[in-house]
Amino acid sequence: CATPLAIHTPAAERPLAAGFTLEGRLSASDGASAASGRLEWQHQADGDRWTVLSPLGQIVAQLERDRHGALLRTADGRRYAAANADELLPQVLGVDAPVALLPAWVQAAPGPHGEVRARDARGRPALVVDTGWRIEYPEYAADDPAAPPRRIDLSRGDARLRLIIDHWTPAP
Amino acid sequence: ADGIAQLRRFVADIRHAEGEFEQTVHSASGRKPQQAAGQFAFSRPGRFRWSYETPYRQLLVGDGERLWSWDPDLAQVTVRPLGDALGSTPAAVLVGSSDFEAAFELADGGASDGLAWVVARPRQADSGFESMRLGLADGRLHRMELRDSFGQNTVIVFTRLAAVAAPDPQLFRFTPPPGADVIGQ
């Protein structure tokens, strides 16, 4: 397969949005179970709402997080509360990706302990490695250096998550 | 209104059909409605094809035993037994045979928009939607409305539904394309 370009490509100038709304599709599996569907994610500094929907637009699960904790509601009406979203997000995304790092990863940026291992011809990250996760960016939404990624492949051990971003709206 | 009688006639008489649909999802959060459209075909019992063309391609195929769903962008196929997937999903209306009423409790939904309505509540608790309204005219299904426990409201309009004598069996078979991830749930 195409090997990502070496690191020496100059880094593109890529502002990081503190808040955003992401609409896309995800497929995830951790070797045992699998999850797939449409994803809507509203992110602000002090809160998140992840919603997974079926092709028919019916909500399968919705997880909301704020400073006080996290609440997961599922289609059958059940509710699960937890101190933080990390305990519940795997039930929504299908893998236990870290809540604190996902906002950077979906913008093709490493967390504080991560690093960009390779860049594409436009200087945008092609591969990020962070806290044991491998995050690949095979496709961006447009050709310009600051474009958001269109497809993200996340993996660690058996856990795999593929995300297609159909709409990306940074918060004002 | 004789919605229930028309629905029973539809389930009994229309054994095989194909056509087009338009889907609009009115989200509970009041965001602008999301449109989708595509083609469908069904062959009772248990076989159906539900193909979204816009806003992106996604294919659902019930082959009589299993439900295949394929997203070309994700390059992923998920497959699960048709029984629990079909039991109380809207597709059951299209392809459920006589035991359709085993999956749904029916109630008359009156008449409006020139259609006779039926309210169908899934008997199986975790069916993923709370209730469904079916709009019929002259023994044909024209509209389907689904509401989930979050207040999402999905409206499906069958812009064309034509009975066919013997549908092409290939429509209801699915072979995962090379290179696609196949995930069984």
Side-chain angles (χ1 to χ4, degrees), chain B residues 35-163:
Chain B
Q35 311 279 359
Q39 289 91 35
F40 69 92
F42 65 79
S43 173
R44 296 180 199 284
R47 297 188 302 160
F48 67 92
R49 184 182 190 85
W50 193 264
S51 170
Y52 287 98
E53 301 304 330
T54 60
Y56 39 72
R57 284 178 55 221
Q58 197 152 33
L59 179 62
L60 303 164
V61 173
D63 63 10
E65 283 163 49
R66 287 173 298 188
L67 170 63
W68 302 84
S69 90
W70 178 47
D71 182 317
D73 290 338
L74 285 168
Q76 191 209 26
V77 174
T78 56
V79 55
R80 45 194 180 128
L82 196 57
D84 53 19
L86 187 62
S88 47
T89 56
V93 174
L94 298 176
V95 294
S97 52
S98 54
D99 57 9
F100 163 71
E101 291 186 60
F104 296 96
E105 191 195 312
L106 303 184
D108 186 81
S112 64
D113 300 339
L115 300 172
W117 291 89
V118 178
V119 178
R121 271 189 218 298
R123 296 187 197 277
Q124 191 182 337
D126 59 355
S127 59
F129 67 97
E130 216 173 72
S131 72
M132 176 166 60
R133 290 178 72 239
L134 306 165
L136 298 105
D138 45 61
R140 288 282 176 91
L141 182 60
H142 287 267
R143 276 168 71 120
M144 198 191 263
E145 291 176 9
L146 302 140
R147 187 171 292 280
D148 69 10
S149 52
F150 293 83
Q152 294 277 106
N153 185 25
T154 300
V155 176
I156 296 172
V157 176
F158 296 96
T159 47
R160 186 175 71 84
L161 188 152

Side-chain angles (χ1 to χ4, degrees), chain A residues 2-5 14 16 22 101-111 114-130 133-142 145 147-155 161-165 168:
Chain A
T3 55
L5 290 166
R14 292 179 58 80
L16 210 55
L22 179 157
L101 296 176
L102 279 172
W105 290 357
V106 294
Q107 300 185 64
E115 58 173 347
V116 177
R117 280 284 171 75
R119 293 182 184 282
D120 66 13
R122 308 284 297 166
R124 302 170 301 197
L127 172 63
V128 164
V129 174
D130 197 339
W133 289 87
R134 216 182 128 79
I135 309 114
E136 290 168 84
Y137 302 93
E139 203 183 327
Y140 276 81
R150 177 165 188 272
R151 196 176 121 192
I152 301 172
D153 288 331
L154 211 75
S155 58
L161 168 72
R162 173 166 298 165
L163 178 64
I164 300 273
I165 300 180
W168 171 263

